[in-house]
Amino acid sequence: MLYTTEDYWLFFNQKKCMICQLKHADRSTICRECQHDLPWLQYHCLICALPLPSDNNPCPACLRKKPVFNQAYCAFRYEFPIDALIPPGKFNNRTDYLIALSKLALLNIRLTKRPDCIIPVPMHPQKLLKREYNHAWLIAQEISRHLQLSLDTKTLQKIVHTPNQIHLSAKERRSNLRNSFNCRSRPPPHVMLVDDVITTGATANIISQILKQAGCKRVDIMALARTDKPPTA
């Protein structure tokens, strides 16, 4: 039997899957069996990406009142093991989790319209100093490389240091984020805003409104995962 260079590379570069911890020879840090078992987002709202039981249609909340952003893209439902991988990637310096999930997500997301640039949800300097990295920037960097689009970290800034939103309701999230972002310059016509998870869509709506008030015509959202909470406009 003849072996290729790739066969030898895979044999000598086996790694442990970050989910099941078993050794595998796949180039991803998540083995193929675990990739198959991930909670991929299949049926969802065509606007906010809310998980639906069947068919891809606008959800009732978006039919009643469309969000400020135009369309959301997510690869996963926010369920196990995604909900066990994203928090340490966000808070505990396990950036390898975010990068691995970003690479997998990009293989399964198809854009309907190509944006002009990628903008990660900004972090307040005080929080960035404490955490040492912006998780949204890491995800946006992978998206920027994959789509060959510019990564814009200058146009949007967070000017108010707000409390963590994990345990806040939709109303509390909107109040928490009000007047906390600022657009420093005129954005391009079509922006892709990037974050880790879409929960109620409060952050996406507030930033989309700011970008559109500054001259942007279309704002799409890309995140790794989507919870089952309906959007709030």
Side-chain angles (χ1 to χ4, degrees), residues 14-94:
Q14 288 190 347
K15 58 182 77 70
K16 281 187 178 181
C17 171
M18 63 174 53
I19 296 176
C20 69
Q21 298 298 305
L22 295 177
K23 285 191 174 182
H24 67 102
D26 196 79
R27 289 185 180 274
S28 172
T29 49
I30 300 177
C31 71
R32 293 187 183 183
E33 288 77 10
C34 286
Q35 288 181 34
H36 177 76
D37 292 336
L38 290 173
W40 296 99
L41 181 60
Q42 297 179 332
Y43 300 121
H44 58 84
C45 173
L46 295 174
I47 299 174
C48 74
L50 180 75
L52 296 175
S54 63
D55 299 330
N56 291 331
N57 292 305
C59 69
C62 286
L63 287 175
R64 286 194 301 270
K65 186 177 183 180
K66 286 186 177 181
V68 183
F69 60 84
N70 295 82
Q71 187 173 359
Y73 300 91
C74 298
F76 308 104
R77 301 188 308 276
Y78 195 62
E79 301 172 1
F80 185 82
I82 300 300
D83 60 359
L85 293 172
I86 289 180
K90 184 174 181 176
F91 300 111
N92 299 331
N93 206 33
R94 289 309 305 260

Side-chain angles (χ1 to χ4, degrees), residues 185-198:
S185 59
R186 185 181 179 89
H190 184 182
V191 165
M192 176 71 77
L193 185 68
V194 173
D195 207 354
D196 59 332
V197 179
I198 298 177

Side-chain angles (χ1 to χ4, degrees), residues 21-180:
Q21 298 298 305
L22 295 177
K23 285 191 174 182
H24 67 102
D26 196 79
R27 289 185 180 274
S28 172
T29 49
I30 300 177
C31 71
R32 293 187 183 183
E33 288 77 10
C34 286
Q35 288 181 34
H36 177 76
D37 292 336
L38 290 173
W40 296 99
L41 181 60
Q42 297 179 332
Y43 300 121
H44 58 84
C45 173
L46 295 174
I47 299 174
C48 74
L50 180 75
L52 296 175
S54 63
D55 299 330
N56 291 331
N57 292 305
C59 69
C62 286
L63 287 175
R64 286 194 301 270
K65 186 177 183 180
K66 286 186 177 181
V68 183
F69 60 84
N70 295 82
Q71 187 173 359
Y73 300 91
C74 298
F76 308 104
R77 301 188 308 276
Y78 195 62
E79 301 172 1
F80 185 82
I82 300 300
D83 60 359
L85 293 172
I86 289 180
K90 184 174 181 176
F91 300 111
N92 299 331
N93 206 33
R94 289 309 305 260
T95 57
D96 54 322
Y97 289 178
L98 298 179
I99 292 172
L101 292 177
S102 298
K103 291 180 183 296
L104 288 179
L106 286 164
L107 297 177
N108 291 273
I109 291 178
R110 298 291 178 266
L111 302 183
T112 56
K113 292 188 177 182
R114 185 177 173 85
D116 297 307
C117 74
I118 307 293
I119 296 182
V121 172
M123 187 178 288
H124 188 270
Q126 186 177 338
K127 184 174 288 186
L128 183 60
L129 185 64
K130 181 179 180 180
R131 196 178 294 177
E132 299 183 343
Y133 65 96
N134 180 353
H135 61 281
W137 183 87
L138 294 174
I139 299 169
Q141 187 179 47
E142 291 298 323
I143 296 171
S144 173
R145 288 171 179 168
H146 183 82
L147 298 178
Q148 296 183 332
L149 290 169
S150 62
L151 179 60
D152 182 351
T153 59
K154 303 295 184 183
T155 298
L156 192 66
Q157 64 178 163
K158 191 166 187 183
I159 56 176
V160 177
H161 183 46
T162 53
N164 198 298
Q165 301 199 128
I166 291 178
H167 302 296
L168 299 184
S169 66
K171 184 178 180 180
E172 290 170 333
R173 284 169 184 254
R174 290 195 299 272
S175 177
N176 185 44
L177 293 171
R178 191 172 292 120
N179 301 319
S180 63

